[in-house]
Amino acid sequence: MSMGSREGGDQPALWVTTSELARGEGHLFYRRLNELLGRHGFDPFVEKLVEEKKIFAETLGRPSIPPGTYMRMMFMGFFEGLSSERAIAWKCADSLSLREFLGYGLTQATPDHSTLSGLRRKFPEEVHREIFDWVLKVAQEEGLLKGRKVAIDATTLEANAAMRTIVRRADGASYQKYLKKLAKAEGIKDPTPDDLGKMDRKRKGKKVSNKEWKSSSDPDARITKMKDGTTHLAHKAEHAVDLSSGVIVAAEIHPADSGDTTTLPQTLTRAEASADRANPESGIQEVVADRGYHSGEVVGALHQRGYTCIPERRQKRRRNWKRLSRKVGEREARRRQRAFYLNRRRLKSDAGKRLLRQRGETVERSFAHACETGGMRRLHLRGRVNILKRYQLHVAALNLGIVLRSLIGLGTPRGFQGRKTLLAYALSSLLSSMRDLIRSLFGQLGSFCREPRYTQPLYPNPQLVVA
C-alpha cells in the first residue's frame, strides 16, 4: 500500500447527499436502541409522565426540547463513557450518528449543556425514578428480569469538591484559619505557610472528621478513604443486582460515611418496590451481600423476608446471646440467634457458595460498567439530589444495554466495530424484517407470532463468522 498525501486548496463540494455521509459503526447500535424504545412506547410514556407532573406551563414561554430527547442524551452519556453534561452536549452536536439517534437534522442545533442542566433541575426526582422503573419493566417484558435473587454491594464516587474547601461546622473557618489559630496558641505570632505546613505535619492527634468538618461547595459530600487508599470528599453508590440477569433493580446514593448495615434496608426496600412494579408476581426471596453487611440485626430482619447469605465478620470472642436478650428481649434474641445459625449453615452449603460466586461476578461487573467504562467514578455534579437524578438515568442506560445484548448480542456501540460483527447485525436485521413482512402479509396471523428473544447472541464467537 502506497502512502497517501494530503493536498490543500481543494474546493469543498457544494451539494452533498445526506445518505452518503460517512457515519461511525455505532449508529447501527443507536438505531436498534431507538427501535427498542419505540416498540415499548418510550416517548409517549415520558411525555405523559411529564404532563401529569405539570412541570411546564401550558401557554407561557417557548416549547422546551422533548423530554424523550433529554432522556436519550443522558442514556448516551453511559454508552459513550461521558459523565459531564458539557461533554454530552458537545458529543451530540459533533456526531452524525447521535443526531440521528436524537432526531435532529444537519441544519438543526442540538441542546447545549445549559438546557440539559435546566431540565435536570426542573424534572423532580420522581420522574427519573419512573424512567428507571420503566426500563426494568422493559427488561421483564423481554424475559430477562426475575427479581428473586438479589445481590447488594456499594462503592465510592469521588465528589466534585476538593479537600481544601472544607470548613469547620462550628464557626465556618477554613483549614488555614484553623491552623493559624493553633499556631497563635503555641506562640507563633505571624506564621508563614511553611510554618503552618511544618506544624500541621508534626502535631499529634491530627484528624479530620465529618462531625467537625464539611465541604463549603458540596455539603452532602463526606470525607472518606477511597479504593486506592487516598482521602477525598465522596458519595456512596449502592447497587441491588438481579443475579439471574445482571439487571440493576436499585441504584441509590448515600452519604459516604454511612455504614453498610445502615444503608442496606433503604436500598433493599427500593429494590423490592421496583421489582414489584416490573413483575408483581415475583418477589425478592434471597439476599446476598459481602461481610461488611453482616450484623445480628440485619440478618434477623432479612430472615423474615427469605433466605440470606452474608459472610460473617471475624470476631475475637463468641457471641453472648444472654447479654443480647437482656438488651432487646428474649424473644427477639432467639429470633436473631436462629437467623444467625441458619445463615451460617447457608454459607457452608453448595448453594450458598454458588450464590457468593455469582455475587462477586454480577455486582462487581455492574460497578465496572457504571463507574469505570461508564465514566461515573468522578462526579461533575454537586448535591445528593442532582447526583441521584443523573445516576438513575445512567444505570437505566446500563440496563438497556443488557436488554440489547440479549437481543442482538451487543450492549454498547463500540461492540459494532469490525466487519464480522456487522455481518451478525445484518443477519439479525434481516430476520426482524422478514418477521415484519410476514406479519403484514398474513394480518391476523401475525398476532400469534411471538417476538424472538435471543438469550444468546447470534454469533457468540465472532471469529467463526466469515467476513
Side-chain angles (χ1 to χ4, degrees):
M1 179 183 293
S2 61
M3 183 185 69
S5 61
R6 180 183 179 187
E7 298 179 357
D10 293 340
Q11 183 178 0
L14 183 60
W15 305 103
V16 179
T17 306
T18 57
S19 60
E20 297 179 357
L21 292 175
R23 288 184 174 87
E25 295 171 345
H27 81 283
L28 300 175
F29 172 84
Y30 288 113
R31 186 174 298 175
R32 291 303 298 265
L33 178 58
N34 259 338
E35 293 176 2
L36 176 66
L37 296 176
R39 188 167 69 247
H40 291 274
F42 176 71
D43 291 285
F45 171 78
V46 177
E47 293 175 3
K48 182 180 179 181
L49 176 64
V50 173
E51 185 178 359
E52 291 177 353
K53 298 294 181 180
K54 297 182 179 179
I55 299 173
F56 300 101
E58 296 181 359
T59 57
L60 300 177
R62 64 180 178 86
S64 69
I65 66 172
T69 302
Y70 164 74
M71 302 299 175
R72 281 179 171 83
M73 294 181 73
M74 295 296 104
F75 293 161
M76 187 274 298
F78 163 75
F79 293 120
E80 300 295 332
L82 305 174
S83 58
S84 67
E85 294 171 349
R86 288 179 179 269
I88 292 174
W90 178 86
K91 186 72 175 180
C92 291
D94 186 68
S95 174
L96 295 177
S97 302
L98 295 177
R99 281 178 171 272
E100 180 183 351
F101 174 61
L102 299 176
Y104 282 84
L106 296 177
T107 59
Q108 293 177 305
T110 56
D112 55 1
H113 70 279
S114 61
T115 304
L116 296 180
S117 60
L119 288 176
R120 171 178 43 79
R121 290 190 296 266
K122 189 176 289 291
F123 291 159
E125 180 183 334
E126 291 78 11
V127 172
H128 295 78
R129 290 191 180 276
E130 289 284 347
I131 300 301
F132 181 85
D133 294 340
W134 182 88
V135 175
L136 291 181
K137 184 66 176 179
V138 172
Q140 188 273 331
E141 292 177 357
E142 295 293 337
L144 291 178
L145 180 62
K146 303 300 180 183
R148 296 185 178 90
K149 300 179 181 179
V150 172
I152 298 179
D153 203 353
T155 188
T156 53
L157 308 177
E158 186 178 350
N160 187 17
M163 286 291 293
R164 62 176 177 268
T165 63
I166 59 175
V167 295
R168 290 181 61 85
R169 293 182 181 272
D171 53 2
S174 63
Y175 194 74
Q176 291 295 324
K177 291 183 179 180
Y178 174 70
L179 291 179
K180 288 181 180 180
K181 185 177 180 181
L182 295 179
K184 290 181 180 180
E186 293 184 0
I188 304 176
K189 295 183 179 181
D190 296 323
T192 63
D194 295 337
D195 296 336
L196 294 178
K198 186 182 299 184
M199 183 195 68
D200 190 33
R201 287 191 297 269
K202 293 183 179 180
R203 68 186 179 96
K204 297 181 180 180
K206 175 184 174 182
K207 290 184 179 179
V208 182
S209 65
N210 289 299
K211 294 181 180 180
E212 299 179 357
W213 298 88
K214 67 176 182 178
S215 173
S216 59
S217 56
D218 189 1
D220 293 336
R222 296 292 184 269
I223 303 170
T224 187
K225 184 174 290 186
M226 305 297 289
K227 297 294 184 180
D228 56 356
T230 58
T231 302
H232 290 285
L233 291 166
H235 297 267
K236 176 182 177 181
E238 195 166 38
H239 289 184
V241 186
D242 180 30
L243 287 179
S244 62
S245 60
V247 175
I248 302 175
V249 294
E252 297 298 317
I253 301 295
H254 303 286
D257 58 344
S258 300
D260 292 339
T261 56
T262 59
T263 59
L264 182 140
Q266 180 180 352
T267 303
L268 187 58
T269 302
R270 177 63 62 179
E272 285 183 337
S274 300
D276 290 341
R277 292 187 63 179
N279 188 7
E281 298 180 357
S282 66
I284 297 178
Q285 301 175 358
E286 298 185 6
V287 179
V288 190
D290 60 3
R291 66 180 70 253
Y293 290 89
H294 188 277
S295 69
E297 183 179 359
V298 170
V299 173
L302 293 179
H303 179 68
Q304 296 179 348
R305 308 187 183 194
Y307 293 102
T308 59
C309 190
I310 304 177
E312 300 178 20
R313 297 181 180 180
R314 295 180 181 179
Q315 295 182 348
K316 297 181 180 179
R317 301 176 182 178
R318 298 182 61 182
R319 289 182 176 266
N320 193 337
W321 299 107
K322 293 184 179 180
R323 182 186 303 175
L324 182 64
S325 63
R326 292 194 296 266
K327 184 178 180 181
V328 300
E330 185 176 357
R331 184 176 181 180
E332 178 66 18
R334 287 183 178 179
R335 185 179 65 82
R336 293 187 185 182
Q337 183 180 7
R338 183 172 182 271
F340 178 85
Y341 288 110
L342 285 176
N343 178 67
R344 177 179 291 181
R345 184 185 305 174
R346 181 77 166 176
L347 291 172
K348 295 180 180 180
S349 64
D350 294 337
K353 295 178 181 179
R354 184 168 57 252
L355 285 176
L356 290 178
R357 287 194 299 268
Q358 291 179 355
R359 185 209 71 83
E361 294 174 0
T362 55
V363 181
E364 299 301 332
R365 186 185 296 119
S366 70
F367 288 129
H369 290 327
C371 301
E372 302 301 333
T373 58
M376 287 296 288
R377 181 65 69 182
R378 174 68 166 84
L379 299 174
H380 293 270
L381 297 174
R382 294 173 179 173
R384 176 193 167 274
V385 176
N386 288 325
I387 295 172
L388 179 61
K389 291 178 182 180
R390 178 75 181 89
Y391 202 73
Q392 288 283 314
L393 298 183
H394 196 79
V395 176
L398 194 157
N399 290 336
L400 284 175
I402 295 176
V403 174
L404 284 175
R405 186 177 293 112
S406 68
L407 295 176
I408 62 176
L410 298 169
T412 58
R414 289 183 291 272
F416 274 87
Q417 296 177 356
R419 300 178 181 176
K420 299 176 182 179
T421 311
L422 290 176
L423 179 59
Y425 168 79
L427 292 177
S428 62
S429 300
L430 180 60
L431 292 177
S432 61
S433 60
M434 290 176 61
R435 183 188 69 244
D436 297 338
L437 180 61
I438 292 175
R439 286 184 175 182
S440 61
L441 291 178
F442 291 93
Q444 296 296 331
L445 183 60
S447 61
F448 299 96
C449 298
R450 298 182 59 188
E451 293 281 344
R453 299 189 179 101
Y454 303 104
T455 56
Q456 297 292 337
L458 292 176
Y459 294 95
N461 188 359
Q463 297 180 357
L464 298 180
V465 183
V466 180

